[in-house]
Each structure stands twice: as structure tokens, then as C-alpha cells.
Amino acid sequence: MEQKDYLLREIEKLGIVIRAIQQKIFGGSGPPALSPERQEAEAREMLFSEMNFDLDRFLQMDLAESEKYVNGFKGFSIENIEALAAFIAKIGFSKQSEPSRTYLEKALQLFEICNMKSKTFSFERENHISALSSALAKPD
């Protein structure tokens, strides 16, 4: 029973950290307070300091490596992977340069990992996948 409680706390803690980072970087519903470059740097720093999650390394991984890397963290539930994917997609959509494609591709990979792991269909997840696929299909 103690082990189950610990895992639930880890899952909740990771979700809170991802949402807090997203809130700090992107703020409320208005335009972001930070430039896209600064948003990316802040996200990278906070993910590493709060979760020991190396975004640079993660962006270079293929699908299998990404799944293994994410599964190596205690507390990465499907909901937390979706939150991370949405966060990475938001960074990608806010950038206007070539590296944004890397973020969008990685977010799409994370949503695909969620589809592989989840037994539940999610309209919201499918909407994210559709938006990312459309953005990636557009010529540069």
C-alpha cells in the first residue's frame, strides 16, 4: 500500500511541475511575456532543474528512445506525457524558425506514445495530433 501511495504522489508531483512550468513560461491567456527564445531557454532550464529532464537530449531521440527515456521517470502517466507533449507543442508553435519543426515532431511522438500506452480514446489527444500533423505537412 505504501508503494502505491508513493507512485501516486510522484505522478501528481510530475503533473504539477509540468503545469507550473507551462504557466510560468506562457503565463495566462494573453500574449506571452517572454520572447520565444527565452521561453525555450526557460523551459529547458526548468525541466532539467525540477525533473532532471534533458530536453536537448530528448529532442534528438527517435520514437523508441523517447519512449524508453520517458518511461525511465517515475510519475510519467499518460496524462503527464500529454501535458509534456502539449507544452513542447506550444513551444514549437510559438517559434518561427526551423527548430520549431523539431519541437512539433517531438510533441507528435509523445502523443503517439500516449496512443500506444492508453486503452482509452481521447478526442483532445486526436485534435492535438491532427493540428501537429497539419502544421508539419505545410511546406516551410
Side-chain angles (χ1 to χ4, degrees):
M1 190 59 143
E2 180 68 31
Q3 181 68 14
K4 185 177 179 181
D5 291 341
Y6 171 76
L7 289 175
L8 288 174
R9 282 194 308 272
E10 287 297 307
I11 290 169
E12 289 172 0
K13 185 169 71 173
L14 211 58
I16 290 168
V17 168
I18 292 170
R19 285 187 293 282
I21 292 171
Q22 185 169 2
Q23 181 65 29
K24 182 174 185 210
I25 300 298
F26 295 108
S29 60
L34 301 172
S35 70
E37 295 78 23
R38 190 66 197 140
Q39 289 174 352
E40 180 183 355
E42 286 279 327
R44 184 175 281 109
E45 291 169 20
M46 291 179 74
L47 284 170
F48 192 74
S49 68
E50 298 292 330
M51 298 171 26
N52 202 28
F53 187 91
D54 188 346
L55 186 60
D56 289 325
R57 182 174 159 212
F58 184 66
L59 290 172
Q60 303 303 316
M61 296 177 180
D62 64 17
L63 180 61
E65 291 171 323
S66 295
E67 184 174 11
K68 185 176 178 184
Y69 187 69
V70 167
N71 288 335
F73 287 88
K74 286 186 177 123
F76 257 119
S77 64
I78 291 170
E79 292 80 16
N80 291 342
I81 295 171
E82 286 178 340
L84 180 64
F87 177 61
I88 291 173
K90 198 166 189 176
I91 294 171
F93 282 123
S94 70
K95 293 175 62 90
Q96 299 299 320
S97 62
E98 178 58 34
S100 67
R101 186 168 187 82
T102 304
Y103 285 89
L104 298 178
E105 288 170 348
K106 187 53 67 173
L108 184 60
Q109 279 185 2
L110 286 170
F111 283 119
E112 289 171 352
I113 289 170
C114 291
N115 275 343
M116 289 187 287
K117 292 178 79 167
S118 178
K119 293 177 176 58
T120 306
F121 180 82
S122 167
F123 285 109
E124 184 178 352
R125 188 182 320 134
E126 291 303 317
N127 288 338
H128 282 291
I129 290 171
S130 177
L132 288 165
S133 296
S134 295
L136 290 168
K138 291 179 185 175
D140 292 331

